[in-house]
Amino acid sequence: MTVSETASLSTYGSALRRLYLIRFAFAVVWAALLFLASTMTGPLLAVVLVAYPLFDAGAVLWQLRADPDSGRSKAAGWINVVVSVVVAIALGAASTVAVAAALGVWGAWAIGSGIPQLVTAVRSRRYGGQVPQMLSGGISVLAGASFLAQAVQGGGNIAGVSGYAVLGGIFFLISAIRLGRTAKEI
């Protein structure tokens, strides 16, 4: 590995670390807001629900643009961005209909974003700190299936999504810590 490749990996690793810390903080704050708004229907719940996939799309877009490896396919990341924006729109509409509808959209999104997250983490493992992201992607698929099942059964409590968001945030925190350790080793 050349000096410039090492510097590029180190710079990107530091940028990922900052992004993961921001994503952790956002997830915790967002989960608290969702927990408070989960018993309400209407505009407040819709705004809270829509904010998460829009933030996710922005974070993944930033990560795609910051990635120094221009030769690697970024299709999984771009799929994640597009899916997150579509989900934000769908959540806005579904949350005005019924909480179960919003829960179903969230479940489908968890599955649809968990798969590309898992693929991206596997491909990015050389940067370090990606095992928690791999686990997060896999858990997202399983949680999404659970949310879909609840929605099909007419579940009306979306507060459980806040726990899912906090768990995802914890995985981002773990990745950030691991990236900090990897940066010291380079």
Side-chain angles (χ1 to χ4, degrees), residues 5-25:
E5 288 174 331
T6 302
S8 180
L9 286 175
S10 177
T11 302
Y12 184 56
S14 294
L16 276 180
R17 184 174 185 269
R18 283 190 304 275
L19 176 64
Y20 289 171
L21 288 171
I22 291 167
R23 291 189 77 164
F24 164 72

Side-chain angles (χ1 to χ4, degrees), residues 11-106:
T11 302
Y12 184 56
S14 294
L16 276 180
R17 184 174 185 269
R18 283 190 304 275
L19 176 64
Y20 289 171
L21 288 171
I22 291 167
R23 291 189 77 164
F24 164 72
F26 179 83
V28 170
V29 170
W30 181 87
L33 291 173
L34 177 63
F35 188 75
L36 294 172
S38 66
T39 58
M40 305 171 205
T41 55
L44 179 61
L45 180 60
V47 167
V48 171
L49 288 173
V50 167
Y52 197 95
L54 289 178
F55 181 83
D56 184 70
V60 173
L61 183 62
W62 180 91
Q63 185 173 338
L64 286 169
R65 295 188 183 275
D67 188 347
D69 190 353
S70 60
R72 181 168 52 120
S73 172
K74 298 178 184 175
W78 283 107
I79 290 169
N80 194 339
V81 169
V82 170
V83 167
S84 293
V85 170
V86 169
V87 165
I89 294 166
L91 278 171
S95 64
T96 63
V97 174
V99 172
L103 190 58
V105 170
W106 194 279

